[in-house]
């Protein structure tokens, strides 16, 4: 099993956000966030890069839920390089295992959905949509 170091750019992080990301096993230097993740045995390169992207997006959603600040990860780089190119996957959400083996907590498959719903509810000015998303979050638990 090959372990990769994934590095991405997340702009605007403050000390609280850095501390929350470090709790998840990330290393933060300025606006660069890196984390280790292993390639699963029967996983394609595309599946791996998408899972890597979902993992950091889930952690950024956790930071959003705890601090009400939304962050976006961009400019992904993998070391060692996959296929000798820098991979820059598009944002995507999915429901497959996405945590490194050493990561603890935030394991419920429905959590990613609830955090995504919270992101929508926290950004809208539409009061009805906020209540609909809150009801959706409550019903999903």
């Amino acid at each position: 099993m090959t372990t990769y170091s994934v590095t991405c750019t997340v702009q605007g992080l403050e000390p609280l956000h850095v501390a929350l990301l470090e709790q998840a096993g990330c290393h933060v230097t300025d606006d660069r966030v890196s984390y280790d993740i292993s390639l699963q045995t029967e996983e394609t390169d595309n599946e791996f890069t998408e899972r890597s992207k979902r993992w950091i997006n889930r952690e950024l959603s956790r930071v959003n839920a705890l601090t009400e600040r939304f962050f976006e990860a961009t400019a992904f780089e993998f070391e060692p390089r996959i296929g000798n190119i820098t991979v820059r996957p598009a944002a995507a959400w999915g429901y497959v295992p996405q945590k490194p083996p050493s990561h603890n907590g935030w394991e419920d498959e429905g959590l990613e959905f609830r955090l995504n719903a919270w992101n929508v509810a926290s950004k809208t000015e539409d009061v009805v949509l906020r209540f609909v998303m809150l009801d959706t979050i409550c019903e999903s638990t």
Side-chain angles (χ1 to χ4, degrees):
M1 187 178 323
T2 305
T3 299
Y4 288 82
S5 178
V6 182
T7 304
C8 60
T9 301
V10 180
Q11 296 183 350
L13 294 173
E14 296 175 2
L16 173 61
H17 310 124
V18 171
L20 290 169
L21 287 172
E22 287 176 345
Q23 287 176 358
C26 297
H27 305 284
V28 181
T29 305
D30 297 324
D31 64 348
R32 299 295 287 166
V33 177
S34 61
Y35 53 97
D36 294 333
I37 194 162
S38 296
L39 178 68
Q40 296 175 354
T41 52
E42 295 187 19
E43 192 172 36
T44 67
D45 289 349
N46 286 339
E47 291 170 338
F48 174 69
T49 57
E50 291 301 315
R51 182 169 58 89
S52 300
K53 177 74 172 181
R54 283 191 312 271
W55 188 88
I56 192 63
N57 279 336
R58 186 193 65 205
E59 292 306 321
L60 291 173
S61 290
R62 180 175 66 97
V63 170
N64 179 35
L66 296 172
T67 67
E68 296 185 357
R69 288 281 313 272
F70 180 74
F71 296 99
E72 180 180 7
T74 59
F76 283 77
E77 297 175 7
F78 290 76
E79 188 63 40
R81 292 182 186 245
I82 300 173
N84 288 329
I85 61 170
T86 299
V87 179
R88 300 182 193 283
W93 289 96
Y95 295 96
V96 295
Q98 52 188 307
K99 61 181 176 61
S102 64
H103 183 57
N104 294 318
W106 298 84
E107 296 180 17
D108 181 3
E109 290 180 357
L111 177 64
E112 186 175 356
F113 167 77
R114 290 189 291 278
L115 285 173
N116 196 25
W118 176 260
N119 287 343
V120 170
S122 65
K123 290 175 187 54
T124 184
E125 297 297 320
D126 185 344
V127 176
V128 173
L129 180 57
R130 285 184 184 172
F131 280 104
V132 168
M133 296 310 293
L134 176 60
D135 182 60
T136 302
I137 292 167
C138 293
E139 289 297 321
S140 72
T141 59

